[in-house]
Structures are given as C-alpha cells and as structure tokens.
C-alpha cells in the first residue's frame, strides 16, 4: 500500500479529521484526509436540518474558494516554470558545449550514476503504486522470503524487484554506509582544523598580534634616511590586453628611488597587436624617466614559471637584492614597497613578505560575491594564522616580495607544476626560510566575473597542489626540518586542506546522498544533511560578516564547485586529462578603466593612469572600447558534468518524495537546481 507522506519523522504537524478509508476491494483501497475546518469557515456541526443545510452551502463555498486559490497557485507555478523553460531553451540554443571535458572518464562515471538512478526511480515508482514501500526490516524479511520461495512470485517485476531489494540490503547498503562514515569522520577532522584556525584568528584580533619591525614603525615620509635596497619588480603577462595599462602605470608609480628600482615587463603574448601595444606603453614610461624594460620570450615554454625563470637569468639581476612579483591585474598602492621591504632589514632568515588581496569587482555579480567569501577566509584566517604561528604559508604567486637569495638557494622557478608559487614556497620552507604575511597591506586586483574563467582557475589551483604533493613528498620526508613541520606540510597543508575537503564534499553530497534515496537502508541521518554543510559554511563566512545574507547560495555553490575541484584533484594526483593545462584567467579591465577615468577627470597630472601625454585621446579610446565591448556578442557554455549531476540530484529528490524524507528532499531539490543553473551558465557574466 502507498503510505501517507510524513516529512519530519512521522510527526503530525497540523490538525485533521480522522482518515476516511473507502474500501471497495480488500486488495485495492484509497485514503482521504480532510483538514479540520477553520474558524473562518464558520462550519459548526449542530443538530437540526436547517443548520445542516446551511453547513452544506458553506462547505460548498469553502471548497470553491480553495479550488480557486489552488488554481491560482498552479497558474503561478506554471508561469514560472514556463519562463524558466524558455530561458533553458535559449541557453541550450545559443550555448557551446564544454567539449574539453564531456568525454572525460569523470563525466563517464557520472553518466553511469545518472542512468542507474533513472532505472531505479522507475522501479521504485512502479513498486510504490503497487503498494510495495519497503523501508523497514520486517518488510525486507518478507521480500527475502518471497525470493526464497519461487512459488510466491507472481510476475517478472516481482522477481526483479525482490532481487534488487536483496542486493541493496546485502551489498550496496554496507558499502554506502562505510563510505558515508569515512566522509563524516573526515568532516569532523576538517571542521576541527577550521575551528582551530578561526580561534587562532580571533586570538590575533584580541591581542592585536602582527609582524613587527626591529627598528620600529617605518616613516613613509622619510625620503632620506630610509631603508632602500635594490628592488626588481616583475610583471609576467600573456595577452593581457584589458589590463596592461593599469599594471604598467601602477608599477611605474611606486615610491622608490629610481636608481634602486627596475621594472621588468615579462610579456608572453602570442598576439602581435598586444605585443605592440604593451611595447608602446613601456616606451612612453621610459621617456618619462621610469626605469622599465620590456622582455618578450622567443621560446615560450613553462608558462608563468618559465617566464619568471627566463627573467631571473638576466645578467643585471645579480645587482638586486629583492624581487617583487605582480600579476597583470594587480594595482599596488604607491607605498607598497615602503610597507613591505623594511621587514627584511636585519632579518636574514626572512625569505618572503606577502600582502593580502582586495578586490575591485567583488560586488559585480553573485559569482564575485561568493568568491569574496572564500578568499577572505583564505587571507584573513589561513594565511594570517599560519604566518603568525608557523612562519609558513603558500605563496600566492603575486603581491609578494622575495629575497632573491632565498629564490636561488631553493632551486629557483621550476616548470614541473601549474602552481609554481606553491612549489617555490614549499622548497624555501624546506631550506629553512621564514615567511611574513601582512594582513594590513592590501593590493587591489580582480576576481573572475564569468563561471568559465573561474572554473578554469579553480581547476588549475586544485590540480597543481596534487601534482606538487606527488613530486615533493620524498623531499619532505628526507628534509632536515622538524617532525612537526613535516607533519604540518604533509597532513595539514596538502592532505587535509587540498585533498580531503573536495573529496568528502563531492562524495558525500553529490554521490552518497542521492544514492541513499535508492538504498533506504543506508539513509544519512538528518544532522549530516543539515549540520555538516551549515557548519562549514558558517566557519568560512565568519571573516566576511557582510556576506551572511549569501550563506545559502554560498553553501549550494560550494557543493557545486566540489565537482570541478574533485575532478582537478584526481587529475593532478594521477596525471590524468588536462592536469598540466594552463589557461590565463580572463580579466575584465574594469579597475583599469575606472582609474583612468578618475585620472583624466580629476588629476590631469602624471600618476597611476598612464603616461601624461595624450590623456584626452586615451579617454576617448576608453569610451570607444567600452561601446565596442557592449556590442560584442556574448555566449554561454553548457557544462555537461554539472548538468548530469543536476539530473542525478533531481531524480533522487523525486525518489525522496516516495519515502517522505523532508530535509533530504529539500536539500536535493535546491542542490539539483544549483547544479542546473551552473550547468546552463546562469551564474556570473557570459564570456566573449
């Protein structure tokens, strides 16, 4: 028989009249439940024919009003679904399939789960309407008895469903339960690590702990007796047409003696027009007295690591003591070097001083707001706590100043992974160098505004650490650092924070949870479905309290991104697919244009916009560029892995309706919709 729905463990949450059962046949019965009439209905059961006639009329009107209300609700839902369907049709018609991953092994595995769930859903629906809703141990015993007695089997479907029940009880359920238990244990370990980091951050805030200079605070206005060693500034770029002007202008405006500062523009562009534009911009600043040089590699190998390695081989580099590295979209303040370089003075064991990032486009769209939450936790908590208590953290690849002696002594830039910044940081740590993180020194930059750019960035950021872990594990074990530092590198830095988080997040919420809907013997407890994601989201969002209104979208989006991160992690660990692929993150150039407008309108003198000549022409050029950009045809992509998982989760949500599991249904429904929106590229900006 088909049981009534009970969303919260079978407890009645509303009053109702007793269930009326109409039995026409002992093997076929139906169930009807009527709500208790409300006071507004004025339906009072009393004696007398007059009252009964009046009650019948009122009941008719009440039923008509409720039918009208239900019809209006259905009309609204139908209209919303129709609009959403229209959007989906347009997206599918104009979108481009993400063919680079649609034939991957990972996508093939997801498709197997999707087809498996669809077949099982068909079985369960058919069994449900036959009155077979087996969730209890006694009913499983009944099914086992049916299978053991062939004479009791009345049809092929009965036999097949009986076999499936035995398989799920004897084989599938134990496997799923064991894997779920492993994920829950990993969650507790991960939560403990996050909690300790948050407590460390709180301790730093309460006691106002931060790196201090041996000679006291730096006087930024002191132009004579300050500490001014030789500093090399490097800007690696590749086809950065949108942001090259802001990068060159910002570095050329750094407040440092010209005789002790050299700026290298390391251009890896393969577009001749971009090369010409960057070269002309460098020449403008050279004419204005800035010590800046343009370098373009003939043989472009090794991506960013190869570019930096080539620049460090220049003969004049030996005259410089420190090197500051900035990506093309970074805009350091003019006093950046004055606020970072002095920490090296009289500290010969300091190899790196890292500044934090701030984002000029963090409120551009929902995608940028969600990235702000993750990156705020990374800098405010992870980097700051590790810097204060361990003197070690992963170099962020930009907005940092290195002691050249530390770079060269640790083996220099290597091209063996796509995370050359983390690679050099680990090797420098193994050689005994200490790092300083300055949480109060910010450097403006951009975060990706389109899901396409963000997805590729995250793939590189999560495949690279696994490549590096595989390569440097023997060096960590054989190094002369303490056991504590080795344990921190292996278990905390690599395994816990780079491997475990995407593993249990994807496995638990994208595979195990939907599978438990079809194997009710292994159903996850409610607290696992609700408390685990809520706890992780709450801890991550603490450093950015203004983002609390976005905690639910953040929770759903992080689970959605776990697919990309898990795929990247596996690819990097086992050298599969595009684990060594490097795609430059698409920049919008919004901050560049904004600064240039401000420069032209308010400060017609030589500052951070561009070279002083032809500012009027530059303003007109920017306006034309903005108009042309607005007319560019944009498109979206269709992400097959995300769409496949959307169908898996929504199928499991339908199955949860049959077993009346409230919290599981809502989680699967909203998570499936989140995958659907991301799969259709309905989050963030479209790409050109």
């Amino acid at each position: 028989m088909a049981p009534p729905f009970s969303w919260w463990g079978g407890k009645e949450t509303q009053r109702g009249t007793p269930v009326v059962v109409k039995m026409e046949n002992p093997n076929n019965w139906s169930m009807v439940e009527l709500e208790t009439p409300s006071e507004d209905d004025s339906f009072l059961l009393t004696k007398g024919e007059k009252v009964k006639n009046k009650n019948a009329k009122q009941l008719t009107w009440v039923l008509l009003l409720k039918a009208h209300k239900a019809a209006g609700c259905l009309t609204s839902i139908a209209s919303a679904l129709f609009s959403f369907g229209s959007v989906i049709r347009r997206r599918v018609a104009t979108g481009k399939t993400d063919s680079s991953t649609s034939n991957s092994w990972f996508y093939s595995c997801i498709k197997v789960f999707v087809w498996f769930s669809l077949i099982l859903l068909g079985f369960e629906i058919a069994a449900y309407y036959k009155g077979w809703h087996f969730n209890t141990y006694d009913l499983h015993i009944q099914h086992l008895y049916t299978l053991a007695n062939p004479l009791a089997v009345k049809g092929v479907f009965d036999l097949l469903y009986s076999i499936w029940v035995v398989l799920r009880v004897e084989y599938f359920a134990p496997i799923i339960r064991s894997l779920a238990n492993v994920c829950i244990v990993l969650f507790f370990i991960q939560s403990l690590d996050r909690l300790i980091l948050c407590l460390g951050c709180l301790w730093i805030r309460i006691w106002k702990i931060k790196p201090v200079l041996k000679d006291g605070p730096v006087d930024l206005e002191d132009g004579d007796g300050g500490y001014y060693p030789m500093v090399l500034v490097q800007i690696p770029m590749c086809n950065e047409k949108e942001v090259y002007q802001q990068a060159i202008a910002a570095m050329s405006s750094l407040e440092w003696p010209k005789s002790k500062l050299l700026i290298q523009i390391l251009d890896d562009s393969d577009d001749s027009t971009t090369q010409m534009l960057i070269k002309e911009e460098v020449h403008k600043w050279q004419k204005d007295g800035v010590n800046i040089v343009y370098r373009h590699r003939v043989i472009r190998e090794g991506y960013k690591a190869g570019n930096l390695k080539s620049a460090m081989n220049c003969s004049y580099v030996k005259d410089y003591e420190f090197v500051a590295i900035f990506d093309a979209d970074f805009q350091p303040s003019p006093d950046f070097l004055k606020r970072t370089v002095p920490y090296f003075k009289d500290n010969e064991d300091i190899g790196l001083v890292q500044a934090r990032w701030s984002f000029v486009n963090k409120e551009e769209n929902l995608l940028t707001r969600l990235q702000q939450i993750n990156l705020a936790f990374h800098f405010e908590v992870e980097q700051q706590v590790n810097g204060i208590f361990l003197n070690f953290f992963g170099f962020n690849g930009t907005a940092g100043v290195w002691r050249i002696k530390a770079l060269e002594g640790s083996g220099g830039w290597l091209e063996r992974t796509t995370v050359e910044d983390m690679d050099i940081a680990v090797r420098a740590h193994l050689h005994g160098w200490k790092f300083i993180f300055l949480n109060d020194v910010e450097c403006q930059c951009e975060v990706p505004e389109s899901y396409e750019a963000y997805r590729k960035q995250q793939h590189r950021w999560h495949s690279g650490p696994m490549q590096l872990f595989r390569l440097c594990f023997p060096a960590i074990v054989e190094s002369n650092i303490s056991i504590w530092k080795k344990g921190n590198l292996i278990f905390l830095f690599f395994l816990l924070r780079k491997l475990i988080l995407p593993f249990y997040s994807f496995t638990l919420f994208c595979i195990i949870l939907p599978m438990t809907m079809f194997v009710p013997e292994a159903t996850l407890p409610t607290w696992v479905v609700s408390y685990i994601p809520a706890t992780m989201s709450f801890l991550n969002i603490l450093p950015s309290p203004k983002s609390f209104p976005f905690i639910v979208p953040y929770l759903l989006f992080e689970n959605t991104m776990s697919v990309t991160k898990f795929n990247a992690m596996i690819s990097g660990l086992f050298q599969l697919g595009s684990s060594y692929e490097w795609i430059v993150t698409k920049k919008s150039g919004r901050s560049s244009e904004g600064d240039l407008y401000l420069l032209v309108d308010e400060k017609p003198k030589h500052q951070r916009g561009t070279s002083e000549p032809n500012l009027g022409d530059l303003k007109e050029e920017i306006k034309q560029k903005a108009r042309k950009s607005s007319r560019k045809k944009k498109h979206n992509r269709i992400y097959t892995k995300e769409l496949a998982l959307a169908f898996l989760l929504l199928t499991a949500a339908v199955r949860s309706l049959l077993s009346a599991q409230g919290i599981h249904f809502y989680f699967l429904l909203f998570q499936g919709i989140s995958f659907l929106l991301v799969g259709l590229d309905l989050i963030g900006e479209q790409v050109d």
Side-chain angles (χ1 to χ4, degrees):
M1 66 181 177
F5 290 172
S6 177
W7 293 102
W8 301 100
K11 295 181 180 179
E12 293 293 336
T13 57
Q14 64 177 10
R15 293 175 299 167
T17 62
V19 175
V20 179
V21 180
K22 181 180 179 182
M23 299 190 66
E24 298 176 352
N25 187 313
N27 296 323
N28 183 17
W29 55 275
S30 61
M31 186 182 309
V32 180
E33 181 176 353
L34 301 177
E35 278 192 18
T36 300
S38 64
E39 293 180 0
D40 296 335
D41 297 336
S42 301
F43 182 60
L44 301 175
L45 293 175
T46 58
K47 295 182 179 180
E49 185 67 26
K50 184 177 179 180
V51 175
K52 290 183 179 180
N53 292 336
K54 185 177 180 180
N55 289 340
K57 292 180 181 179
Q58 289 181 345
L59 178 59
T60 302
W61 280 107
V62 169
L63 293 176
L64 288 175
L65 288 173
K66 289 191 174 184
H68 182 270
K69 184 178 179 180
C73 181
L74 291 175
T75 303
S76 301
I77 294 174
S79 177
L81 291 175
F82 180 78
S83 300
F84 186 64
S86 299
V87 172
I88 292 177
R89 284 197 301 271
R90 290 197 300 270
R91 286 286 176 168
V92 173
T94 61
K96 296 182 179 180
T97 303
D98 187 32
S99 57
S100 60
T101 58
S102 60
N103 295 321
S104 66
W105 64 272
F106 190 54
Y107 177 59
S108 300
C109 293
I110 294 175
K111 285 196 296 184
V112 170
F113 277 105
V114 172
W115 284 111
F116 186 58
S117 65
L118 289 174
I119 294 172
L120 292 182
L121 180 62
F123 262 91
E124 295 295 341
I125 291 176
Y128 183 84
Y129 284 103
K130 276 179 170 286
W132 302 348
H133 193 69
F134 301 108
N135 276 327
T136 64
Y137 177 77
D138 293 336
L139 291 176
H140 290 318
I141 294 298
Q142 179 182 348
H143 248 320
L144 291 173
Y145 174 78
T146 302
L147 182 64
N149 295 271
L151 296 177
V153 176
K154 298 181 179 180
V156 176
F157 179 81
D158 305 49
L159 177 61
L160 293 177
Y161 192 74
S162 300
I163 294 174
W164 161 239
V165 170
V166 173
L167 289 176
R168 79 187 193 191
V169 170
E170 296 295 328
Y171 301 102
F172 287 97
I175 295 174
I176 294 177
R177 280 197 297 265
S178 300
L179 192 56
N181 291 335
V182 170
C183 290
I184 293 172
V185 171
L186 294 179
F187 156 73
F188 281 119
I189 297 174
Q190 181 79 29
S191 299
L192 180 62
D193 175 59
R194 292 291 172 107
L195 181 61
I196 292 174
L197 288 174
C198 289
L199 292 176
C201 182
L202 180 63
W203 182 268
I204 291 172
R205 284 194 175 187
I206 292 176
W207 296 101
K208 298 180 180 179
I209 303 173
K210 63 179 183 179
V212 296
L213 295 164
K214 287 189 175 181
D215 295 337
V218 179
D219 184 6
L220 300 179
E221 302 298 328
D222 183 9
D224 298 325
Y227 174 63
Y228 294 110
M230 300 287 286
V231 176
L232 179 68
V233 176
Q234 295 179 334
I235 314 175
M237 58 177 63
C238 181
N239 297 322
E240 310 280 4
K241 190 180 295 185
E242 296 81 7
V243 293
Y244 74 92
Q245 286 180 316
Q246 84 175 31
I248 296 174
M251 307 311 159
S252 300
S253 301
L254 290 172
E255 297 172 353
W256 204 257
K258 293 183 179 180
S259 60
K260 297 187 176 182
L261 179 70
L262 174 63
I263 302 171
Q264 286 182 319
I265 306 301
L266 311 177
D267 184 23
D268 255 7
S269 303
D270 54 7
D271 176 55
S272 57
T273 303
T274 304
Q275 295 177 25
M276 181 185 67
L277 291 172
I278 297 175
K279 190 178 297 184
E280 288 180 356
E281 189 69 16
V282 170
H283 289 333
K284 289 180 183 179
W285 287 97
Q286 286 176 339
K287 292 178 182 178
D288 215 41
V290 177
N291 193 12
I292 183 172
V293 296
Y294 174 85
R295 280 180 52 84
H296 184 271
R297 291 195 297 165
V298 178
I299 302 176
R300 298 173 59 253
E301 293 181 352
Y303 303 114
K304 182 180 176 181
N307 200 357
L308 293 171
K309 181 179 180 180
S310 174
M312 294 299 293
N313 289 331
C314 295
S315 59
Y316 52 77
V317 172
K318 66 179 183 297
D319 299 327
Y320 293 84
E321 189 174 355
F322 303 101
V323 55
I325 303 171
F326 299 94
D327 285 346
D329 60 312
F330 277 71
Q331 303 175 76
S333 59
D335 62 355
F336 180 87
L337 294 179
K338 288 184 176 181
R339 300 178 66 184
T340 54
V341 174
Y343 285 91
F344 290 100
K345 185 179 180 182
D346 300 326
N347 283 317
E348 295 298 324
D349 56 348
I350 300 298
L352 167 68
V353 175
Q354 172 76 59
R356 70 171 297 165
W357 302 354
S358 60
F359 312 102
V360 296
N361 61 339
K362 62 184 178 182
E363 298 181 355
E364 190 63 33
N365 54 45
L366 178 60
L367 178 61
T368 59
R369 291 177 183 272
L370 299 180
Q371 292 179 69
Q372 159 70 14
I373 297 174
N374 267 341
L375 291 170
F377 181 88
H378 173 69
F379 287 106
E380 185 79 17
V381 180
E382 289 183 336
Q383 298 291 77
Q384 184 175 209
V385 171
N386 289 327
I388 292 293
F389 295 106
L390 300 177
N391 296 121
F392 167 72
F393 47 83
F395 175 44
N396 294 119
T398 178
V401 183
W402 276 94
R403 188 187 297 271
I404 294 180
K405 182 180 178 182
L407 279 177
E408 295 176 343
S410 304
W413 299 105
L414 298 181
E415 307 161 8
R416 58 182 182 172
T417 72
T418 57
V419 284
E420 75 295 326
D421 45 7
M422 186 182 293
D423 188 0
I424 187 63
V426 171
R427 285 184 282 118
H429 182 57
L430 295 179
H431 282 78
W433 294 100
K434 296 181 179 179
F435 302 162
I436 290 178
F437 178 76
L438 302 178
N439 193 54
D440 57 346
V441 180
E442 297 184 359
C443 189
Q444 287 190 336
C445 64
E446 294 182 32
V447 288
E449 296 181 10
S450 70
Y451 179 70
E452 172 73 8
Y454 180 63
R455 186 169 175 264
K456 290 178 179 178
Q457 180 197 70
Q458 292 301 303
H459 186 276
R460 187 176 76 247
W461 285 6
H462 285 82
S463 66
M466 292 298 98
Q467 301 169 12
L468 181 60
F469 176 68
R470 188 185 66 255
L471 293 171
C472 71
F473 179 77
I476 295 174
V477 175
E478 297 171 1
S479 65
N480 295 324
I481 61 176
S482 65
I483 297 294
W484 159 246
K485 290 183 178 180
K486 291 181 180 179
N488 174 65
L489 272 176
I490 295 174
F491 296 107
L492 294 181
F493 186 75
F494 279 112
L495 294 182
L496 188 60
R497 296 168 189 166
K498 303 297 188 298
L499 187 147
I500 288 179
L501 178 58
F503 170 78
Y504 87 74
S505 181
F506 170 76
T507 306
L508 189 61
F509 297 115
C510 299
I511 299 298
I512 294 179
L513 178 58
M515 286 296 101
T516 58
M517 296 299 100
F518 302 100
V519 185
E521 296 79 11
T523 300
L524 290 175
T526 301
W527 67 268
V528 174
V529 180
S530 56
Y531 296 149
I532 286 183
T535 301
M536 293 305 300
S537 299
F538 180 77
L539 291 176
N540 285 355
I541 212 169
L542 277 179
S544 52
K546 292 182 180 180
S547 301
F548 266 97
F550 301 95
I551 188 168
V552 174
Y554 173 74
L555 185 158
L556 297 174
F557 182 69
E558 278 302 293
N559 286 337
T560 305
M561 282 304 300
S562 67
V563 180
T564 296
K565 296 176 181 179
F566 179 83
N567 183 29
M569 181 263 292
I570 296 296
S571 298
L573 191 62
F574 299 103
Q575 303 185 59
L576 303 174
S578 57
S579 59
Y580 284 92
E581 181 183 26
W582 180 293
I583 298 176
V584 178
T585 303
K586 179 71 174 177
K587 315 306 194 296
S588 66
R590 295 180 188 275
S591 54
S592 175
E593 294 178 5
D595 285 350
L596 290 170
Y597 272 123
L598 181 64
L599 172 67
V600 173
D601 292 338
E602 298 180 3
K603 296 183 178 182
K605 60 182 182 178
H606 177 70
Q607 285 194 359
R608 293 183 60 198
T610 181
S611 54
E612 187 173 357
N614 303 323
L615 289 181
D617 295 342
L618 180 58
K619 181 178 179 180
E620 184 62 29
E621 179 184 341
I622 293 172
K623 289 181 178 179
Q624 293 178 0
K625 179 181 177 182
R627 288 194 295 267
K628 185 182 297 185
S629 177
S630 64
R631 292 194 302 265
K632 280 184 178 180
K633 184 178 180 180
K634 296 186 176 183
H635 68 271
N636 64 290
R637 286 188 179 274
I638 305 299
Y639 299 102
T640 53
K641 291 199 298 290
E642 285 79 359
L643 284 180
L645 280 165
F647 288 121
L648 174 62
L649 292 167
L650 293 176
T651 302
V654 174
R655 172 63 182 88
S656 70
L657 283 173
L658 304 181
S659 55
Q661 294 174 294
I663 190 64
H664 297 73
F665 167 75
Y666 290 118
F667 187 90
L668 288 166
L669 176 64
F670 290 116
Q671 190 64 70
I673 293 174
S674 174
F675 270 100
L676 184 63
L677 295 176
V678 171
L680 295 173
D681 200 10
L682 290 169
I683 182 172
E685 300 292 334
Q686 293 179 328
V687 296
D688 297 335

